[in-house]
Amino acid sequence: SLMCLAVSALQYYANCRYMANPSTGGIISASQKRYVEYVETMLYNPGLLPHTNTVILVDLSLSSVPLFSVNRSNCKPFLEVYENGKKILSTLREPDVMRTYAPEDGAIDMSVNMGVCGDIRSSCTTLATSSGERCLPSRCSNSASIRPSWTRSALP
C-alpha cells in the first residue's frame, strides 16, 4: 500500500540517522513524517498536486471530554491556531468566562470559521486551576494537501 512506502522511507532515514549519530536515536519529527507522506501522495496521484488556495477551517471537535480539572471531573478547553508559525487565533479568555465541559456533554465543538493557507497547526489546551495548563493532541497539516472533497479532519 502507499502508506507502507512512506513508512519504509521514514524507517530507512531513521536507521541511517541513527547509524551516523546514535545520540539522535534516529528520531523523525512529525513534520518530516508529514512531508514524506505529502510527497508520496503526489508521486502516486499526479492529479493531486498541492494548491495555494485558502481553505476554511470550520470547527474543531473532540469526541470526548478530557477530565483535566483538579478533581478530574471537567475541563475548560481553548483553541489556538497557527498559520506558518504565527498565531492567528486563540480562544483563551479569563477562566471565569470560559465554558466548562463535563462528561455529560459527550463532546466538545469549537467553531473557528476562518480561512487558512500554508502550514497549519491547531492545538487544544485546557485550563486546570491549580496545576496549570494541560495540552491535548495537536494537529498539523499543510493546506496545500487538503482536498476539496475532505469535509472533516479530527484530532486523534
Side-chain angles (χ1 to χ4, degrees), residues 20-112:
N21 185 0
S23 66
T24 66
I27 295 172
I28 296 174
S29 71
S31 63
Q32 290 169 324
K33 181 178 182 291
R34 202 168 43 254
Y35 278 93
V36 168
E37 291 169 354
Y38 292 158
V39 169
E40 180 184 66
T41 298
M42 289 186 297
L43 286 173
Y44 292 100
N45 299 286
L48 295 179
L49 295 177
H51 61 80
T52 57
N53 302 331
T54 296
V55 295
I56 305 299
L57 181 59
V58 177
D59 63 8
L60 174 101
S61 298
L62 299 174
S63 58
S64 62
V65 176
L67 305 179
F68 284 153
S69 64
V70 175
N71 61 3
R72 318 252 326 136
S73 63
N74 56 41
C75 75
K76 290 187 176 201
F78 63 93
L79 175 65
E80 293 181 327
V81 177
Y82 297 81
E83 180 181 67
N84 300 315
K86 179 183 174 190
K87 187 188 299 186
I88 59 171
L89 173 73
S90 177
T91 61
L92 177 63
R93 304 291 179 262
E94 291 296 320
D96 56 335
V97 176
M98 293 175 60
R99 177 171 173 191
T100 301
Y101 290 86
E104 304 81 55
D105 293 317
I108 299 173
D109 291 310
M110 290 185 257
S111 180
V112 179

Side-chain angles (χ1 to χ4, degrees), residues 13-28:
Y13 174 76
N15 289 341
C16 290
R17 187 172 174 174
Y18 178 78
M19 297 294 278
N21 185 0
S23 66
T24 66
I27 295 172
I28 296 174

